[in-house]
Amino acid sequence: MTDKQKNFIKAKAIAERNKERIKEQAPNLEDRTGIYVLTREENGLHYGYVGKAQKQGIVSRLAQHLSGYDQWIDKSIRKHGLFSEDNINGWRVLTYQYCRPDECDEAEREFIVHFANQGYQLRNVESGGTTGKTDINERKPARGYRDGVKQGERNAIKKIAHWFDKHLKADYRSDKPSKNAIKALDQFNQLLQGATDND
């Protein structure tokens, strides 16, 4: 058996386990196309997420959330887990509605409006549907080249600050430093101080 075949078998087994976890939450849920609503409560606040399973069944789509890393809801489920008696702040399948794939867009929009009007803090980024959707929550800004360069600078300064804290000493080249040398050493120390203060 090749590694690719082993990985496929392993992925299928994980998907089946995830489907079983979803069925424990919603035993009557069928793997048909439609809309699902996930909710959770914490400190008196009600959070919600409205999703659509347009290309596969709801159970399969929810199982993807359990092993996904891409969407906000995937990460939140990973962080808070599913609802259980031991995890009362976890996500639960609150409701669902089966519909044909061509009806899913409109149904998703209706569910988003309904739960927003009920006071749920929806974690959906968009207003629903495939066409004509608008943002209803802030998107996390995409990280670009400059963000990566800035992060690299912060990492390098942090490492250099650690070396100077533990093993090295900054000093002037001559016994009688110039104004520029004094200024340069002050800036260097401020740079290192900023790294240790912020990290």
Side-chain angles (χ1 to χ4, degrees):
M1 188 178 295
T2 66
D3 286 342
K4 191 173 183 179
Q5 290 170 323
K6 288 178 188 174
N7 289 341
F8 179 76
I9 291 170
K10 186 176 176 182
K12 287 294 268 182
I14 290 171
E16 288 305 314
R17 274 198 310 273
N18 287 342
K19 286 180 183 180
E20 288 172 16
R21 291 175 63 197
I22 296 300
K23 292 295 275 180
E24 288 171 10
Q25 279 242 340
N28 298 327
L29 182 60
E30 296 176 22
D31 204 15
R32 295 169 39 196
T33 58
I35 305 302
Y36 56 91
V37 179
L38 297 172
T39 62
R40 74 179 200 86
E41 295 179 27
E42 188 170 7
N43 298 326
L45 297 174
H46 301 276
Y47 301 97
Y49 176 81
V50 178
K52 106 181 130 183
Q54 193 171 21
K55 297 177 182 173
Q56 77 267 18
I58 295 174
V59 175
S60 298
R61 184 67 188 110
L62 287 167
Q64 286 177 345
H65 285 311
L66 294 181
S67 57
Y69 288 92
D70 296 334
Q71 292 185 304
W72 176 90
I73 191 66
D74 302 346
K75 295 171 188 168
S76 186
I77 291 172
R78 190 170 299 282
K79 178 179 179 182
H80 299 287
L82 291 177
F83 177 84
S84 67
E85 289 183 19
D86 299 332
N87 184 22
I88 60 170
N89 294 324
W91 288 96
R92 70 171 82 197
V93 180
L94 179 68
T95 189
Y96 51 88
Q97 174 181 315
Y98 304 117
C99 55
R100 294 190 323 260
D102 62 322
E103 299 172 333
C104 285
D105 285 350
E106 186 59 34
E108 183 183 28
R109 284 189 206 100
E110 289 172 6
F111 270 81
I112 287 172
V113 169
H114 173 76
F115 279 90
N117 289 338
Q118 295 295 316
Y120 281 85
Q121 293 187 23
L122 290 180
R123 295 311 190 206
N124 293 69
V125 175
E126 298 170 330
S127 61
T130 306
T131 57
K133 47 186 163 181
T134 57
D135 289 354
I136 58 174
N137 274 326
E138 289 184 27
R139 291 182 182 272
K140 192 174 182 181
R143 293 194 54 157
Y145 171 78
R146 292 186 190 278
D147 296 316
V149 169
K150 202 152 203 60
Q151 183 62 48
E153 287 175 4
R154 285 193 294 265
N155 292 347
I157 290 168
K158 187 175 180 180
K159 187 173 266 192
I160 291 168
H162 173 73
W163 291 338
F164 274 89
D165 282 347
K166 299 289 181 185
H167 310 291
L168 303 173
K169 178 179 149 189
D171 204 356
Y172 304 110
R173 284 190 175 179
S174 65
D175 292 338
K176 211 168 183 187
S178 67
K179 287 183 181 179
N180 285 341
I182 293 170
K183 187 176 174 183
L185 185 61
D186 283 345
Q187 288 176 340
F188 180 74
N189 286 327
Q190 286 175 1
L191 181 75
L192 296 184
Q193 204 61 39
T196 54
D197 289 347
N198 295 333
D199 295 319

